Amino acid sequence: MSTSTVIVGAQWGDEGKGKVTDVAAESFNAVARYSGGPNAGHTLSINGRIVVLHILPSALFRRDVLKLVGPGVVCDPEVLSGELRLAEELDVLHTVHLDLHAPLILPIHRELDKARESLSGKGAIGTTQRGIGPCYEDFVARRGPSLQNLRSAKALKQAMLDRRFYDERSLLVQLAGIKPSTVDEMVEWCMERAKKIVPALIDTREVISRLRERGDSLLFEGAQGIMLDVFNGTRPYCTSSICGPAAISASLGVHSFDRVIGVSKAYTTRVGNGPFPTELTGQAGQWLRKKGNEYGATTGRDRRTGWLDLPALRYACRIGGITDLVITKLDILTGIEKIRVAVAYGTPLEEVDPHRTLDTELLERVEPVYQDMDGWQEDLKGCSSIKNLPSNAKKYLWRIEEVTGIPITGVSIGPEREEMIWQESSPVN
Ligand code: GDP
Ligand code: IMO
Ligand code: MG
């Protein structure tokens, strides 16, 4: 029987989804990226080689695994053609397939994203400026080119003119005092990159339907995280797509999942603006940033850092339908004498009900209720099972399970593939 497993970010992104996907992919027939776009930066660390992928599935280095990019992923042809070149170098190009219907990010989307951010002053979202929001806006407005339009310059040009796409978009860019790219410039720019992309186009919904019928195992790789989800995240400080498994139902026609693996760091980070109740500012935050190497994989920006926020993680588990957790970067906490962890939220007037929706308004005024836990000094290198972890590290993991109500089935103790331990009962084991 075909099985479907999802890997989803359970915080504000950058949880280590790329690493976990690369490790888990070995046990699957196909891996599909299902949402987001080149705002994502998924890092793989394979025998010391570090590769950051933005669009292609993090199974790229797994030769025998089919790699799919679904119709919900917004694609920048420049980024895409670069990653296809890497696939060619690795001799896996024939295993990579991109959905025909995936929306195309154009220079004008990036221009608009940048212009809005620079004009928004204090209200800026802190986007990655990769054109993600404007591209999804056009998708929902039922206009704008998709990857299949790269097959012909004429069709591409027409898609840029249809339904006032270019007229309206260029006007907005001009209003921001920026000269928009012209239609002809964009067509030329896209067509220069199309040669690499067109041969990889396919209908991924049809492929997935066939794979399921023949009993293949499928792994779906998410981008961003539940707290950045356009419905359930900290709006407007979020991304423009659905980050959880609902995006797979909506775009790929798979509606039930054997497992939804939520990935969370052993602490919390966030890039861009928006509430962050457990944030560590000043020296402590900088120390954690440096120790955890918390610098954006896509933009190079400093990531904001803080203690693990269990009320937020519990909310993400509930909203995302998460069935088990993988905790990454546990090694970064080694050597800390007292580890703080937020186990509840309070406000000056009340304790926050665990069923509350954690919207921006609420998260901006909550005070985390912390528990201080004893840390561990032992190096985690060489730990081959959760059982063998230092006892204080195990107590930390148990506390996560207790507050979230979700079992931890995997723990990552370093960036490399091998630095990953699974609970013995885990099916990914
Ligand atoms: P993603 O966007 O969720 O795929 O995560 P990113 O790649 O943006 O950020 C995660 C970072 O942590 C990357 O630099 C990974 O190489 C690194 N990483 C992942 N797991 C671990 C771990 O267990 N320990 C350490 N030290 N680094 C890790
Ligand atoms: P991965 O997949 C962390 C954040 C941006 C900003 C907000 C909106 O690597 O975890 P956008 O460009 O999407 O309009 O920006 O979302 N953001 C991410 N933060 N990891 C990501 O992806 C992110 N993708 C977007 O920093 O706050
Ligand atoms: Mg990332």
Side-chain angles (χ1 to χ4, degrees), residues 12-14 17 39-42 125-129 132 223-224 228 238-239 271-272 301:
W12 278 280
D14 300 330
K17 299 174 293 292
N39 45 353
H42 293 185
I125 290 167
T127 72
T128 59
Q129 305 200 4
I132 306 296
Q224 292 78 51
L228 287 171
C238 62
T239 190
V271 204
R301 289 180 290 176

Side-chain angles (χ1 to χ4, degrees), residues 70-82:
V73 180
V74 288
C75 294
D76 181 316
E78 171 79 9
V79 179
L80 199 49
S81 54

Side-chain angles (χ1 to χ4, degrees), residues 13-19 41-43 45 265 293 297 303 328-332 412-415 419:
D14 300 330
E15 299 90 347
K17 299 174 293 292
K19 181 213 159 140
H42 293 185
T43 313
S45 190
K265 279 177 189 162
N293 191 26
R303 291 177 182 155
T328 61
K329 300 192 113 166
L330 191 65
D331 53 304
I332 301 300
S412 174
I413 52 170
E419 294 173 308

